[in-house]
Amino acid sequence: QGTITTSTILSKGLIDLGYDVKMSEIHGMSQRGGTVVTQIKYGDKVYSPIIGEGEADLIVSFEQLEALRALSYLKEGGTVVTDSAKIFPMPVLTGSAAYPDDAIERLERSGCRVVVTQAFAKAQELGNVKAQNIVLLGQLVRQLGLEQADWEEIIKSSFPEKLVDLNLEAFKAGLDI
């Protein structure tokens, strides 16, 4: 889904803004439907990239169930940005588990601020669902108030030339959602 690409681009933007940035990646057999998680810390000085349970200011999720899975990492009063899309993991596809129909409601009941976006639908409208991650990145940049970085240049340097226009469009769409 582009989790690592999104995190790398966000990290470049944060560095562009003068922050100390640390990023970690956890690969959960993504090619077999597992979760890929990245964590980013930024500030004046960051010593460790790891975010413990109850420490995250913000969680970004490409789909609802992943937001629920990550919720224990969110601090009290934190924000969850999640796509309205549902991506069924292997246990749901094989029938050994059910996808929660009330994922958004459960997030809202947890007391956090929940921002539901339609990044997948917007990427589909742009002609390539793989741009969902960059639509979400635009939304995240808006939520964090980081618009002043040179995102256009960062995106241009992050993709092959044939994908630059699509991803610039996706980023701008995310800013406007």
Side-chain angles (χ1 to χ4, degrees), residues 113-135:
R113 179 173 172 256
V114 180
V115 177
V116 180
T117 187
Q118 288 73 39
F120 182 86
K122 189 57 161 176
Q124 196 169 31
E125 185 182 305
L126 293 171
N128 190 335
V129 295
K130 290 182 180 181
Q132 174 196 23
N133 63 328
I134 305 302
V135 176

Side-chain angles (χ1 to χ4, degrees), residues 3 12 110 152 169:
T3 304
K12 288 177 182 179
S110 76
E152 184 172 333
E169 259 189 277

Side-chain angles (χ1 to χ4, degrees), residues 74-96:
L74 192 66
K75 71 170 51 171
E76 190 174 320
T79 299
V80 173
V81 176
T82 188
D83 201 306
S84 61
K86 295 179 181 180
I87 300 171
F88 300 121
M90 197 55 66
V92 172
L93 294 173
T94 62
S96 64

Side-chain angles (χ1 to χ4, degrees), residues 44-99:
D44 293 333
K45 186 66 183 157
V46 178
Y47 297 98
S48 169
I50 305 302
I51 298 171
E53 290 198 4
E55 294 180 353
D57 294 304
L58 185 127
I59 292 172
V60 178
S61 168
F62 288 40
E63 70 92 45
Q64 301 172 31
L65 183 57
E66 291 301 325
L68 278 176
R69 287 181 181 165
L71 193 56
S72 65
Y73 287 90
L74 192 66
K75 71 170 51 171
E76 190 174 320
T79 299
V80 173
V81 176
T82 188
D83 201 306
S84 61
K86 295 179 181 180
I87 300 171
F88 300 121
M90 197 55 66
V92 172
L93 294 173
T94 62
S96 64
Y99 194 98

